[in-house]
Amino acid sequence: MLRTRIADICAALRHVPGSAGWVRAAAELCWAVPLMLVVAYAGGLVRLQAPSEPAVLLSLAAMLFVAPALGEEILFRGMMIPRASTSPEWILASTLLFVLWHPLQAVTVGPPWAAAFLDPWFLSAVAILGVSLGRIYAATRSLWPAVAAHWFVVFSWKAFLGGPF
């Protein structure tokens, strides 16, 4: 079982989808991002802010690519959703664990953004993101579009919408 999961992750990292896969990822973001913004706005989690200095933005972008985007996509999509038989049940299971992961981080690691990770509005937005990322992975069989979408959402929130970092 573990060997199969690791093989799935490796295959999903080796596979770079064609343009149709990237278009599918963009289409998923077209419904998910507005919905997440509505939820986050309702919960007081977003506010427009001027971007930081370019060096800070570049550093933030690089850091967020590794963790959370790449790391969490490997764990929650690559490890949790079988590449050969993606189904809504697997997507929902991985989304549930993805959502539960955030409060677990808040109470164990206690990063500066821990309060946000315990906020029900934030967790609702995370659930929306989890479903869309699972659907992207299922459609493309590649982790790269999900990594890119995850990175885009988190970077945008932290860099331009007042997310803590």
Side-chain angles (χ1 to χ4, degrees):
M1 173 83 173
L2 181 59
R3 184 175 291 214
T4 302
R5 304 299 335 122
I6 291 171
D8 272 0
I9 292 167
C10 291
L13 288 170
R14 281 192 306 268
H15 175 65
V16 177
S19 59
W22 293 101
V23 168
R24 175 61 190 268
E28 285 294 324
L29 290 179
C30 284
W31 72 263
V33 168
L35 188 55
M36 285 186 289
L37 283 170
V38 167
V39 168
Y41 181 77
L45 298 171
V46 296
R47 68 184 188 298
L48 286 178
Q49 70 180 25
S52 298
E53 296 177 25
V56 173
L57 287 177
L58 187 57
S59 174
L60 179 66
M63 179 187 70
L64 293 174
F65 179 81
V66 175
L70 181 61
E72 289 182 358
E73 290 314 304
I74 288 171
L75 181 61
F76 294 105
R77 262 50 75 184
M79 186 69 118
M80 296 296 306
I81 301 173
R83 196 164 178 263
S85 62
T86 59
S87 69
E89 293 82 11
W90 284 113
I91 292 170
L92 291 176
S94 79
T95 297
L96 177 62
L97 292 173
F98 182 59
V99 170
L100 293 173
W101 166 248
H102 289 82
L104 179 64
Q105 283 182 299
V107 298
T108 57
V109 180
W113 52 87
F117 280 23
L118 298 171
D119 187 301
W121 291 101
F122 174 81
L123 296 174
S124 297
V126 168
I128 295 163
L129 180 62
V131 168
S132 67
L133 294 172
R135 288 170 46 99
I136 289 169
Y137 178 67
T140 64
R141 303 290 199 264
S142 173
L143 284 170
W144 296 116
V147 169
H150 194 154
W151 174 86
F152 170 77
V153 167
V154 176
F155 178 75
S156 297
W157 180 52
K158 290 181 178 279
F160 307 110
L161 298 174
F165 64 92

